[in-house]
Amino acid sequence: MTSLDDLPIRADLRGLSPYGAPQLEVPVRLNTNENSYPVPDVVAETIGRAIAAELRNLNRYPDRDAVALRGDLAAYLGHGLTRDQVWAANGSNEVQQQLLQVFGGPGRTAFGFTPAYSMHPLLALGTGTRWVPARRGADFGLTVGEAVAQVREHRPDVVFLCSPNNPTGTALDPAVVAAVLAEAPGMVVVDEAYAEFARAGAVSALSLLPGHPRLVVTRTMSKAFGFAGGRLGYLAADPAVVAAVQLVRLPYHLSALTQAAARAALVHRDALLGTVSAIKVQRDRIVSELRSRGHRVADSDANFVLFRVGGDQRVAWQVLLDAGVLVRDVGLPGWLRVTAGTPAETDAFLLALEKLSS
Ligand code: PMP
């Protein structure tokens, strides 16, 4: 049998394994920050009709520029955005890959404050962009001073900020985003995959877009919209940025079925986003319950919670799995991350967690 090592793959990819959380069949899956609520029937029916209407046209390529969908996404975002300021792709992972293809690449650097979303360095790797891991302060916080000093030192071509941050859950102080934007010589990408779950007072970087053509905000329908399987991510930025990513996007990257499904889902955005407040209740319940049990817990503006287990998190992860609850080991010694889902899932998680102390 031919192994990977027998193939003439790039030297920088040798010895690596593909990214991905374990997809295990267990009763309670709280490891990938999905929305636990299924798509409501009325929405599924609308999506089904929209897809059916496309089927006989599948002999034709889709709208290469996804113009109608981008208009719908701009209307959803508000902030006076128009479709020429929005771009869409198969998940925000693909959007960010396109950004690195056009603004990163060989000889260029991308930079992010670790721990943050682990795909950012992997997208850098795949696009031949050098990754510079910057540091966070105590308790995973990030002050204006710490952020600006590191941007000044490394002068990266692309800065990734993640707000609310994965895996910590905490939204960035808007002053940090503004200060990084002022200091960075290149593009600043604010990954707002979890924006809809933020606590009151959090400010989206969308409000900074006017007058900042090097700022990009990425969003996704995978989390709050409960549309992870539909694969739809998008960005908002200056129209010049949208023109720039079109230099590297594959022609017809977004299928007619995806475009139709996403547009139908957006028609029902109130029904889909109706789960957000219920999920936030569970998120806040997990935070307060874990704190009352003596765990250290990061503040969460997302649909997940990072908590300290003490001792080896790999052991704790297995104990929870044996109790039927799958959470995420993000590789932070002593910490685990759990997705907030339904009340029953929270019950199961909190019960399983009791096994840790017994
Ligand atoms: N950004 C962050 C911070 C994420 O956690 C995720 C999903 N885990 C993504 C982006 C990518 O989501 P998608 O490609 O499904 O839009």
Side-chain angles (χ1 to χ4, degrees):
M1 262 228 327
T2 310
S3 87
L4 210 58
D5 290 336
D6 299 323
L7 296 175
I9 65 172
R10 275 162 37 186
D12 57 344
L13 298 179
R14 277 200 185 277
L16 299 182
S17 23
Y19 170 86
Q23 290 192 307
L24 304 177
E25 277 306 320
V26 291
V28 182
R29 282 184 292 170
L30 300 174
N31 67 329
T32 52
N33 301 339
E34 292 157 329
N35 188 320
S36 291
Y37 291 92
V39 175
D41 285 346
V42 54
V43 186
E45 280 154 21
T46 309
I47 293 174
R49 279 195 297 276
I51 288 179
E54 290 297 323
L55 294 178
R56 284 176 188 78
N57 300 326
L58 289 183
N59 58 314
R60 299 290 179 192
Y61 283 115
D63 175 5
R64 203 172 39 214
D65 298 329
V67 172
L69 172 60
R70 286 163 52 205
D72 293 349
L73 290 166
Y76 163 65
L77 287 178
H79 290 265
L81 290 164
T82 56
R83 68 178 182 219
D84 61 334
Q85 293 167 286
V86 172
W87 177 248
N90 297 281
S92 49
N93 283 337
E94 187 182 18
V95 172
Q96 292 170 356
Q97 182 180 53
Q98 293 172 340
L99 288 167
L100 283 175
Q101 284 176 317
V102 72
F103 296 111
R108 293 194 165 199
T109 54
F111 163 111
F113 295 94
T114 312
Y117 183 40
S118 50
M119 274 305 293
H120 296 157
L122 290 175
L123 293 169
L125 174 74
T127 57
T129 313
R130 190 168 70 87
W131 176 258
V132 177
R135 293 174 311 277
R136 287 172 180 270
D139 279 341
F140 313 119
L142 189 62
T143 63
V144 168
E146 289 160 346
V148 166
Q150 293 179 83
V151 172
R152 190 171 296 155
E153 182 186 343
H154 295 287
R155 301 194 55 74
D157 298 287
V158 181
V159 175
F160 279 99
L161 298 174
C162 194
S163 182
N165 186 45
N166 180 7
T168 59
T170 319
L172 274 178
D173 177 350
V176 171
V177 181
V180 167
L181 195 53
E183 184 65 33
M187 302 301 291
V188 176
V189 179
V190 186
D191 181 337
E192 293 192 350
Y194 300 94
E196 288 91 347
F197 297 103
R199 290 170 298 172
V203 182
S204 167
L206 291 172
S207 57
L208 290 174
L209 281 175
H212 290 115
R214 290 182 293 101
L215 173 64
V216 187
V217 180
T218 65
R219 294 278 188 108
T220 182
M221 291 179 69
S222 295
K223 310 296 179 181
F225 279 89
F227 200 68
R231 307 305 299 129
L232 202 288
Y234 53 105
L235 66 74
D238 191 275
V241 173
V242 174
V245 289
Q246 286 176 287
L247 297 175
V248 296
R249 59 101 180 96
L250 295 174
Y252 319 112
H253 68 296
L254 209 47
S255 88
L257 304 179
T258 305
Q259 294 185 40
R263 292 197 69 202
L266 283 165
V267 169
H268 284 288
R269 63 175 174 247
D270 291 345
L272 288 173
L273 295 174
T275 60
V276 167
S277 52
I279 290 168
K280 286 167 70 173
V281 168
Q282 295 309 307
R283 185 251 338 259
D284 293 341
R285 178 181 163 211
I286 293 171
V287 170
S288 59
E289 177 64 26
L290 293 190
R291 283 185 179 152
S292 75
R293 292 186 190 183
H295 292 270
R296 270 171 68 199
V297 181
D299 288 333
S300 180
D301 290 284
N303 68 338
F304 55 86
V305 176
L306 186 75
F307 62 101
R308 194 160 172 85
V309 287
D312 189 337
Q313 85 284 356
R314 290 168 298 188
V315 174
W317 181 86
Q318 189 64 51
V319 169
L320 292 172
L321 183 61
D322 292 344
V325 179
L326 178 61
V327 300
R328 186 69 165 269
D329 175 2
V330 292
L332 279 180
W335 296 83
L336 289 173
R337 192 193 71 194
V338 62
T339 304
T342 64
E345 286 171 332
T346 307
D347 293 346
F349 163 68
L350 291 173
L351 190 65
L353 203 62
E354 286 174 11
K355 299 235 181 330
L356 278 188
S357 38
S358 59

